[in-house]
Amino acid sequence: MLERNFSQLPVMSGPYVLKGVVSWQSIALAHAGGKCDTLADATLPAPEVSIEAELLPTIPDINRHNCVFVRDTDQKISGLVTAADLSLEFGRLTGPFLLLGEIERRLRRSVDRMCPTVGELRGATGYSKAKAPDDLTIGQIIRVFKEPERWARPKWELPHDGFVEKLDEIRRIRNDVAHFRPNPLTDDQRQQVESFAGMVKSLLP
């Protein structure tokens, strides 16, 4: 751990079976307890999350345990996210994340005008429990914009199909930002977010 500058190491009996985690803290605790002769003495339970888990709700677990291990869709342990990783990732994602949040807020305001009643909102989105635009996912918001009748209500002088297509691209980028994806946003994706945010801001000041 010292040689490779690792703060935590997984204890595993194969790619699928995570036994626990060894860290500088767990080693210190084992020494303090007077028993640090074997790996098991310094092994603590290891928190796990799915690779599909959203990042924000997982932050408390990362802070509490200093790391979480990520289980991929094939159920293999594919890596870990540490508190240090979180700090770096937060800095990298802050800009796009805030812009995506602004896009969603402004789109929800437009949905509120396009579907002024709860009945219309539920009919447009297919979500029978929706009470307000804040209850909708971005995918459900797209359904509202797809309907030509509702699209016509704001009287925007924009190509309907082009707007919906760009909005769906933003949805995919939003999912990459919100989940544990292995690759950072590309320059092109960042540009798409910035451009779409500027367009939505001009439409819904």
Side-chain angles (χ1 to χ4, degrees):
M1 291 172 67
L2 183 62
E3 180 181 347
R4 298 297 183 92
N5 196 28
F6 291 154
S7 298
Q8 301 92 2
L9 286 176
V11 180
M12 304 178 66
S13 60
Y16 299 95
V17 182
L18 179 63
K19 297 288 189 178
V21 60
V22 172
S23 67
W24 292 118
Q25 183 181 23
S26 72
I27 294 171
L29 288 172
H31 274 292
K35 186 179 181 182
C36 192
D37 300 322
T38 67
L39 180 62
D41 294 334
T43 299
L44 294 177
E48 297 181 24
V49 295
S50 166
I51 198 170
E52 298 297 334
E54 291 210 352
L55 180 58
L56 285 182
T58 311
I59 289 176
D61 282 337
I62 297 173
N63 287 331
R64 187 179 307 113
H65 301 286
N66 293 317
C67 71
V68 294
F69 290 86
V70 182
R71 195 173 287 277
D72 212 334
T73 52
D74 62 1
Q75 298 307 305
K76 287 183 180 179
I77 296 296
S78 60
L80 76 162
V81 178
T82 67
D85 295 331
L86 189 62
S87 297
L88 292 172
E89 189 71 2
F90 181 78
R92 187 179 64 82
L93 293 178
T94 294
F97 194 88
L98 292 177
L99 282 178
L100 288 163
E102 181 180 351
I103 288 170
E104 287 196 46
R105 285 193 297 274
R106 292 180 185 274
L107 290 177
R108 291 179 198 281
R109 283 169 46 195
S110 181
V111 168
D112 197 35
R113 299 170 188 172
M114 297 163 76
C115 300
T117 68
V118 172
E120 285 189 88
L121 184 66
R122 292 175 178 178
T125 61
Y127 181 35
S128 62
K129 296 182 180 180
K131 297 179 180 179
D134 285 345
D135 297 329
L136 306 178
T137 66
I138 191 167
Q140 290 163 339
I141 290 172
I142 292 175
R143 291 184 188 178
V144 176
F145 283 91
K146 277 185 175 181
E147 291 194 12
E149 178 185 348
R150 290 185 172 82
W151 167 258
R153 291 181 181 179
K155 298 181 179 179
W156 293 338
E157 296 298 326
L158 293 171
H160 181 199
D161 291 342
F163 183 90
V164 171
E165 182 179 343
K166 289 182 182 298
L167 180 51
D168 195 50
E169 291 173 0
I170 294 299
R171 176 190 62 79
R172 289 194 290 269
I173 294 172
R174 182 263 180 207
N175 288 342
D176 283 345
V177 170
H179 295 78
F180 287 106
R181 301 304 184 190
N183 300 315
L185 295 186
T186 65
D187 290 341
D188 182 60
Q189 287 174 317
R190 287 175 179 270
Q191 181 60 44
Q192 287 183 65
V193 171
E194 292 171 2
S195 298
F196 195 81
M199 179 175 65
V200 171
K201 187 175 181 178
S202 67
L203 295 171
L204 297 162

